[in-house]
């Protein structure tokens, strides 16, 4: 059985002091988990977190990356830069970036490609809004978002991680039920299978109010290979409970 992946998305939270306390608590409690664990931190804290996590079982990730390799792109961060600071993963296409920064399916696909070419695994987020779900468009939306990434990345699609994050469940405390999540994961798995003979090894994460209480039932679903966790990743006991549920 492939190992599950539990990735924390710290979003725009943290400070030097808070990061140190959180990572020390996680390192003290994590032991030798049977799943993979990562934390995706604000870029300015990569160096600090790289040092704190050195030699341990928790891997490091970033939350966004440029679609360009280098050059005149003020404020952007190249994948090679993330790589220098130990990033193994980078989140791309989070709904907050799509919503507040106008990121299109094509840009998200280009970012995933750029990350892969630098040797960083992109965690590609897809997910429908509440209005889209209520209009019955969930499948169509997530398939369109994933299709762009498949189209741009070709056979490299087997190297990505996909996270299904229904927008209405993010930060709302209103998680998708295990059945709702599994239903969409099955759709995404079928789409990946049509694109790649190695689709079974692509981790499909669920994200959106996953917490210490609901992690076990979500992670028990056939096509849920892990979680992308926001709020609950900022509290060491909660994040450790989710890691245990995946182990
Ligand atoms: P949440 O965030 O766990 O706080 O809902 C998940 C995410 O946005 O990745």
């Amino acid at each position: 059985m492939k190992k599950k992946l539990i990735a924390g998305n710290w979003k725009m939270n943290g400070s030097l002091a808070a990061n140190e306390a959180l990572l020390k608590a996680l390192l003290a409690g994590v032991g030798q988990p049977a799943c993979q664990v990562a934390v995706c931190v604000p870029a300015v804290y990569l160096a600090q977190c790289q040092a704190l996590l050195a030699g341990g079982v928790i891997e490091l990730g970033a939350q966004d990356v440029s679609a360009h390799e280098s050059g005149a792109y003020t404020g952007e961060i190249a994948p090679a830069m993330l790589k220098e600071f130990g990033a193994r993963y980078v989140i791309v296409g989070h709904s907050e970036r799509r919503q507040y920064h106008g990121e299109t399916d094509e840009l998200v696909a280009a970012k995933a490609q750029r990350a892969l070419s630098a040797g960083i695994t992109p965690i590609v987020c897809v997910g429908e809004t509440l209005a889209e779900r209520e209009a019955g468009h969930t499948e169509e939306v997530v398939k369109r978002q994933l299709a762009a990434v498949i189209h741009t990345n070709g056979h490299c699609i087997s190297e990505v991680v996909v996270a299904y994050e229904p927008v209405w469940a993010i930060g709302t405390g209103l998680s998708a039920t295990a059945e709702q999540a599994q239903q969409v994961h099955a759709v995404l798995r079928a789409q990946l299978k049509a694109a790649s003979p190695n689709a079974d090894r692509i981790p499909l994460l669920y994200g959106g109010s996953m917490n210490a209480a609901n992690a076990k039932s979500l992670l028990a679903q056939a096509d849920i290979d892990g979680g992308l966790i926001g709020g609950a990743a900022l509290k060491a006991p909660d994040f450790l409970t989710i890691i245990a549920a995946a182990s």
Side-chain angles (χ1 to χ4, degrees):
M1 218 175 80
K2 71 179 174 238
K3 281 190 181 182
K4 293 201 188 298
L5 168 61
I6 299 298
N9 173 10
W10 289 5
K11 309 195 181 188
M12 199 172 73
N13 295 292
S15 66
L16 289 170
N19 302 343
E20 182 169 348
L22 177 54
L23 289 182
K24 284 189 168 162
L26 291 177
L27 289 168
V30 74
Q32 290 294 329
C35 63
Q36 292 178 284
V37 181
V39 287
C40 298
V41 309
V44 290
Y45 293 130
L46 281 168
Q48 180 206 16
C49 296
Q50 181 185 29
L52 284 164
L53 295 176
V57 297
I58 301 176
E59 296 185 290
L60 191 56
Q63 299 175 10
D64 184 33
V65 68
S66 177
H68 304 282
E69 196 175 341
S70 66
Y73 301 100
T74 302
E76 295 219 36
I77 300 178
M81 298 172 183
L82 300 179
K83 183 90 180 162
E84 273 200 296
F85 286 92
R88 158 89 207 277
Y89 297 99
V90 63
I91 298 169
V92 299
H94 190 281
S95 60
E96 287 150 16
R97 302 241 20 122
R98 293 179 189 262
Q99 189 180 349
Y100 306 137
H101 301 273
E103 294 197 6
T104 62
D105 296 340
E106 289 67 34
L107 179 64
V108 172
K111 288 183 171 194
Q113 185 179 41
R114 189 64 75 184
L116 282 172
S117 63
I120 299 179
T121 301
I123 301 176
V124 180
C125 299
V126 300
E128 82 288 3
T129 63
L130 186 59
E132 288 164 341
R133 173 163 282 263
E134 286 176 344
H137 295 151
T138 298
E139 264 195 39
E140 174 192 326
V141 169
V142 297
K143 283 169 95 171
R144 187 202 73 223
Q145 292 171 333
L146 184 57
V149 182
I150 292 171
H151 176 76
T152 301
N153 288 275
H155 69 273
C156 292
I157 193 67
S158 62
E159 307 303 320
V160 312
V161 173
V162 176
Y164 168 55
E165 297 208 310
V167 178
W168 48 271
I170 293 176
T172 57
L174 191 76
S175 167
T177 65
E179 295 70 30
Q180 282 173 323
Q182 167 57 29
Q183 213 168 37
V184 178
H185 279 233
V187 168
L188 296 172
R189 182 80 70 201
Q191 188 179 5
L192 290 167
K193 274 191 174 152
S196 165
N198 300 316
D200 275 330
R201 74 161 199 242
I202 300 173
L204 278 180
L205 314 185
Y206 169 78
S209 299
M210 187 186 271
N211 58 39
N214 62 21
K216 207 162 186 99
S217 68
L218 286 160
L219 294 168
Q221 301 303 307
D223 290 299
I224 301 187
D225 305 316
L228 182 56
I229 293 114
L234 297 172
K235 299 176 214 129
D238 293 30
F239 197 54
L240 289 170
T241 302
I242 297 170
I243 292 166
S247 297

